[in-house]
Amino acid sequence: MSKAFLSSLILIACPLTVIGQNAGSRFDAAAKVFRLDGGDTSYVFGVNARGELQQLYWGGRLGARDTFPAARPAREWASFDSSYNNTPQEYAGWGAGLFNEPALKVSFADGNRDLVLHYESHAETAHGFDVVLKDISRPIYVTLHYAMDAESGILGRSATIENRGTDAATIEQAAAAAWALPAGRYTLNYLTGRWAGEWSLNQEAVHPGARVIESRRGSTGHQANPWFALQAGESSEDSGEVWFGVLGWSGSWRITVEQDQLDAVRVTGGFNPFDFGYVLKGGEKLETPVFYGGYAAHGLGGASRLLHRYELEHILPKTQAAPKPRPVIYNSWEATEFRVNEAGQMALAEKAAALGIDRFVMDDGWFGQRKNDLAGLGDWYVNQEKFPHGLKPLIDKVHALGMDFGLWVEPEMVNPDSDLYRKHPDWVLHFEGRPESQQRNQLVLNLARPDVREYVLGFLDKLLTDNDIAFLKWDYNRNWSEPGWDQQPAAEQKKVYVEFTQNLYSILSELRKRHPKVEIESCSGGGGRVDLAILRYVDEVWPSDNTDPFDRLTIQDGFTYAYTPQIMMAWVTDSPHWFNKRSTSLSYRMLSSMQGSLGIGANIAKWTPEEAATAKRLIAAYHEVQQTIVQGDLYRLISPLEGSEFSATQTVRADKGQSVVFAFIHSTQEGRGFPTLKLKGLDPAAEYALSPIEGKARAGSPAVASGAWWMNHGLELDADFRGDFQGAAFRLDRK
């Protein structure tokens, strides 16, 4: 497929009329065409003769002097598909015979539901444009925000919907953005899963009709993640054109990928319209999430590397030029579960420090009357029976051992058996007179309520003010049910879907402002709340409760299509594993987890001296190469998918000065040796020294060779590298 997407439009080599000084954005006033350039990408849209905002091009970067003629509406396809329906609008209202997925659907007080948005005005911004659309007769205004990253070419798009009239209007559907690709043959990639089985990569041909990827659960969800990638033709991991997008919203969301009646493809994403109804009174506005989109010419691997760099540079919280690599943590859950106490945690802290751990985290059970999952959630005071002198003695002990201290919390939840619920039963999501469905013996606090927001912010602020805590593991262990909000009029209760999530962000933002040194993890029973919006407020995420090292190879593989390994916490836990009952060596478990941000979650009190020595050695080795692993360019050398007996990954530091390679065997079959690994991303002219982290290279392999050697000849592993659940790792350092 040609990179010059719309073959019906002829590129004209003539100067653009440029408004403003931003070299990445241009507006041709004569043709009413907008152009955004960043990295290797151009994005072009314009105002057609009917006043609609129409996409013209999204793909490889165009020449500096290339331009487009004015946008022309698509043709009518008989009387059944009007030109309005067939034109790829940037943000189409539901009206005028639109049968494709609308970006915006509104019901007015008088019963009218027709909405047709035309161009009104625009302004240039620091990184793009704000373009204002207006309904042809009603005072509904939509400002479309475009911001193009100069380095990656990733485009952030969102919308502000405003009612400038006096009568209320109800927004029934609101997207952040709609993307369009011309007729062609595409493969859709998306991520699905379930608890303990998240991040499964699905790949399927795009066919006529719609594929809906969504969460109706009140949060991002384990079952699907708001990421997609569309590959053109025979695109693969390393080659071909890919268009990708990630929606930044931690509440209920939906992405619809549809191939229309003329074979064009459209992708629309934003708030999930299921059970949605946002009443917009006169003078009020609604801000949509941001939908990020990008283009890569080097396959799915190229797309993920662009996303990783963008997340590191523009999404994650920073206290310096770039997010620092995550501390190696120890978490006490598997060792003690709810049976935490001062003496036991101190003993674990001593063992953790001896391994070279950076951060000690005490998990569930330290607060209220918390002895199991039946009681205590919501009562965030230190349990005096377990910690008679508060948390300070434990924290002081952890600091004296050279580690900082972290704590588990679950702020949005409450047990019915708690002082908080007995005092405020109306604070939970509920419908008056209906049963309150429990999951894990808990209910969801209605964070949309101002009083609940203030309570949650208040106790967290006090906890961090009174104690020297460096880290919060913020958990969220169930989805919504009975999403009622009886403080509001009946017509406005559905605002809960937006206000809950916005208040979550506001609490996180305020906590970071008041306690700028505190770091936070988004944990939701695993991967239930991972998206580009929550990542603006948290430093890491918990991809899955499943820490089985073999399962983690596929879980982590899927995760990294959308998210950087920097945020991917990966724990080493006990063997046999509690979930699959699979037995694996500590070395294999360590190497599996070292592909992300490393943590230890095993009961280290039961480790043998040999196991402790192995862990200490590998933690030290990990510290030396961690930045390359979590912030370098990731190459998937061998996929673990589809029952592969082998898998391998490689990361390369941005300056190409270091590379780290991981290799894994599931089960050797018929005596086959491990495949030669032809490495990627190195400087072909530089010399690289090979050093084993774990395992050996084949006898006779060079200790030093050029980048060209390692990429073209490849890395050969020792002939004895075979068996079941085996791992090896190597580093290459530029001489």
Side-chain angles (χ1 to χ4, degrees):
M1 175 178 293
S2 169
K3 293 182 182 179
F5 268 51
L6 301 176
S7 58
S8 60
L9 296 176
I10 301 173
L11 292 176
I12 302 174
C14 64
L16 287 171
T17 302
V18 180
I19 294 179
Q21 301 302 313
N22 181 358
S25 60
R26 315 178 188 191
F27 176 64
D28 183 337
K32 293 186 177 180
V33 170
F34 300 84
R35 173 172 163 178
L36 292 159
D37 294 308
D40 296 325
T41 302
S42 293
Y43 189 90
V44 185
F45 58 97
V47 182
N48 65 30
R50 292 197 297 254
E52 299 152 1
L53 201 63
Q54 178 177 341
Q55 183 177 312
L56 299 175
Y57 176 88
W58 182 23
R61 187 157 182 163
L62 304 172
R65 295 175 60 84
D66 293 335
T67 189
F68 280 83
R72 296 196 299 268
R75 60 176 175 159
E76 179 178 290
W77 187 258
S79 59
F80 296 95
D81 286 299
S82 69
S83 174
Y84 182 83
N85 196 63
N86 297 337
T87 298
Q89 294 187 56
E90 287 287 282
Y91 203 84
W94 186 76
L98 183 74
F99 299 108
N100 297 316
E101 187 77 5
L104 184 62
K105 186 176 186 299
V106 176
S107 287
F108 295 94
D110 62 0
N112 174 62
R113 303 189 306 282
D114 187 73
L115 185 74
V116 177
L117 298 171
H118 283 179
Y119 169 82
E120 179 82 0
S121 64
H122 77 272
E124 189 172 13
T125 63
H127 302 287
F129 297 101
D130 284 347
V131 182
V132 180
L133 309 180
K134 180 189 175 299
D135 180 66
I136 55 177
S137 65
R138 304 287 177 121
I140 296 294
Y141 290 77
V142 180
T143 302
L144 303 182
H145 309 287
Y146 296 81
M148 174 75 86
D149 176 44
E151 299 301 320
S152 66
I154 289 177
L155 177 61
R157 294 179 56 190
S158 63
T160 301
I161 305 158
E162 183 178 2
N163 180 2
R164 297 186 187 175
T166 56
D167 295 331
T170 300
I171 300 174
E172 297 178 349
Q173 185 166 341
W179 310 90
L181 297 176
R185 184 163 60 90
Y186 299 96
T187 297
L188 171 64
N189 299 263
Y190 58 102
L191 296 164
T192 61
R194 62 184 187 277
W195 175 81
E198 301 90 334
W199 311 104
S200 296
L201 180 67
N202 300 269
Q203 298 179 300
E204 60 187 49
V206 175
H207 296 294
R211 160 65 74 184
V212 174
I213 313 165
E214 66 174 352
S215 171
R216 300 181 179 185
R217 296 168 177 263
S219 60
T220 320
H222 299 72
Q223 292 69 26
N225 192 264
W227 168 89
F228 77 90
L230 286 162
Q231 300 170 272
E234 300 300 325
S235 182
S236 67
E237 173 69 23
D238 297 311
S239 64
E241 294 183 290
V242 177
W243 295 263
F244 59 91
V246 194
L247 181 65
W249 183 242
S250 309
S252 295
W253 57 272
R254 187 171 81 177
I255 294 174
T256 302
V257 182
E258 59 182 334
Q259 187 174 58
D260 68 16
Q261 59 284 347
L262 299 181
D263 299 326
V265 174
R266 308 181 194 205
V267 182
T268 308
F271 299 123
N272 195 319
F274 178 80
D275 197 39
F276 190 84
Y278 196 96
V279 176
L280 210 58
K281 298 175 184 176
E284 291 185 338
K285 299 178 181 180
L286 174 63
E287 304 279 349
T288 75
V290 179
F291 203 171
Y292 302 87
Y295 166 83
H298 301 289
L300 284 171
S304 62
R305 288 188 288 276
L306 279 177
L307 253 181
H308 295 172
R309 286 199 292 272
Y310 184 78
E311 290 160 359
L312 287 166
E313 294 172 8
H314 300 291
I315 298 294
L316 295 176
K318 298 177 185 175
T319 55
Q320 50 189 18
K324 62 183 179 181
R326 309 304 306 133
V328 176
I329 68 106
Y330 177 74
N331 184 285
S332 67
W333 173 252
E334 286 202 5
T336 57
E337 296 189 348
F338 296 103
R339 302 179 302 276
V340 297
N341 58 54
E342 184 177 288
Q345 296 296 294
M346 285 184 175
L348 284 170
E350 289 178 351
K351 292 185 177 296
L355 298 175
I357 295 292
D358 304 310
R359 172 171 290 164
F360 181 87
V361 181
M362 181 167 62
D363 212 279
D364 198 351
W366 59 270
F367 56 91
Q369 299 305 306
R370 188 73 161 171
K371 299 177 182 178
N372 48 44
D373 64 7
L374 298 173
L377 274 178
D379 300 338
W380 297 101
Y381 58 86
V382 178
N383 184 293
Q384 291 297 304
E385 180 183 348
K386 299 178 180 182
F387 298 92
H389 307 291
L391 296 178
K392 189 176 188 304
L394 173 60
I395 295 173
D396 288 347
K397 174 72 170 180
V398 168
H399 289 167
L401 291 167
M403 302 179 291
D404 66 28
F405 181 77
L407 198 62
W408 180 95
V409 292
E410 193 171 6
E412 298 147 271
M413 301 292 165
V414 63
N415 288 125
D417 185 1
S418 66
D419 295 339
L420 180 67
Y421 183 79
R422 285 184 283 271
K423 185 177 180 180
H424 297 291
D426 56 325
W427 277 15
V428 300
L429 291 173
H430 71 284
F431 290 123
E432 192 65 30
R434 304 292 296 178
E436 294 172 350
S437 302
Q438 295 184 35
Q439 295 291 332
R440 199 175 181 255
N441 306 302
Q442 62 195 51
L443 300 168
V444 183
L445 289 172
N446 183 1
L447 208 60
R449 292 176 58 122
D451 47 5
V452 175
R453 178 196 178 277
E454 291 309 307
Y455 172 75
V456 171
L457 176 60
F459 82 70
L460 288 170
D461 181 42
K462 185 177 188 304
L463 182 66
L464 296 174
T465 300
D466 293 349
N467 300 280
D468 191 355
I469 296 170
F471 170 78
L472 292 177
K473 183 178 178 69
W474 185 307
D475 216 337
Y476 181 87
N477 274 310
R478 61 157 294 180
N479 296 132
W480 289 18
S481 57
E482 298 86 43
W485 184 8
D486 57 10
Q487 275 189 316
Q488 296 294 317
E492 299 185 35
Q493 289 196 21
K494 293 179 181 179
K495 284 187 175 181
V496 68
Y497 288 103
V498 175
E499 302 301 323
F500 184 109
T501 305
Q502 288 181 341
N503 276 351
L504 169 65
Y505 298 152
S506 74
I507 291 170
L508 289 165
S509 178
E510 185 63 23
L511 280 178
R512 298 197 74 104
K513 180 180 178 181
R514 296 183 190 182
H515 307 278
K517 294 182 180 180
V518 173
E519 298 171 346
I520 302 173
E521 175 182 288
S522 175
C523 175
S524 178
R529 191 153 64 188
V530 182
D531 56 80
L532 286 195
I534 201 73
L535 288 180
R536 290 197 174 276
Y537 306 99
V538 303
D539 303 272
E540 63 189 48
V541 300
W542 182 232
S544 180
D545 279 350
N546 184 354
T547 56
D548 178 281
F550 175 66
D551 283 1
R552 269 296 183 123
L553 295 179
T554 53
I555 288 170
Q556 293 170 179
D557 177 79
F559 181 93
T560 58
Y561 282 99
Y563 303 105
T564 168
Q566 162 79 12
I567 64 168
M568 183 177 72
M569 295 308 297
W571 287 7
V572 177
T573 55
D574 283 325
S575 177
H577 193 265
W578 62 270
F579 191 51
N580 289 327
K581 307 303 180 185
R582 179 182 289 119
S583 295
T584 53
S585 69
L586 180 57
S587 171
Y588 181 83
R589 284 176 273 150
M590 291 286 297
L591 295 178
S592 176
S593 294
M594 286 166 63
Q595 294 175 102
S597 287
L598 178 64
I600 306 294
N603 184 357
I604 55 178
K606 294 184 177 180
W607 276 6
T608 66
E610 293 75 19
E611 288 174 318
T614 296
K616 183 176 182 178
R617 173 176 59 82
L618 289 175
I619 289 171
Y622 175 78
H623 274 129
E624 292 181 358
V625 295
Q626 181 183 3
Q627 188 163 8
T628 297
I629 293 170
V630 299
Q631 296 185 358
D633 289 330
L634 173 66
Y635 295 88
R636 304 176 190 90
L637 302 180
I638 303 176
S639 171
L641 302 181
E642 298 180 357
S644 173
E645 60 192 289
F646 309 115
S647 64
T649 63
Q650 178 197 2
T651 50
V652 182
R653 202 168 66 197
D655 66 1
K656 299 185 185 297
Q658 186 179 76
S659 180
V660 182
V661 180
F662 291 95
F664 299 93
I665 295 173
H666 172 258
S667 297
T668 297
Q669 299 178 41
E670 299 175 347
R672 294 187 182 95
F674 198 88
T676 299
L677 294 175
K678 293 193 174 182
L679 306 186
K680 302 180 184 296
L682 303 175
D683 179 351
E687 297 281 303
Y688 290 89
L690 179 72
S691 303
I693 295 173
E694 188 82 338
K696 296 185 294 184
R698 184 178 292 274
S701 294
V704 178
S706 68
W709 168 278
W710 298 119
M711 291 190 291
N712 295 317
H713 177 277
L715 169 62
E716 295 179 290
L717 274 67
D718 186 71
D720 288 334
F721 183 53
R722 59 185 65 206
D724 297 337
F725 305 114
Q726 300 294 313
F730 302 85
R731 58 184 286 180
L732 293 96
D733 294 280
R734 186 167 53 197
K735 299 289 287 183

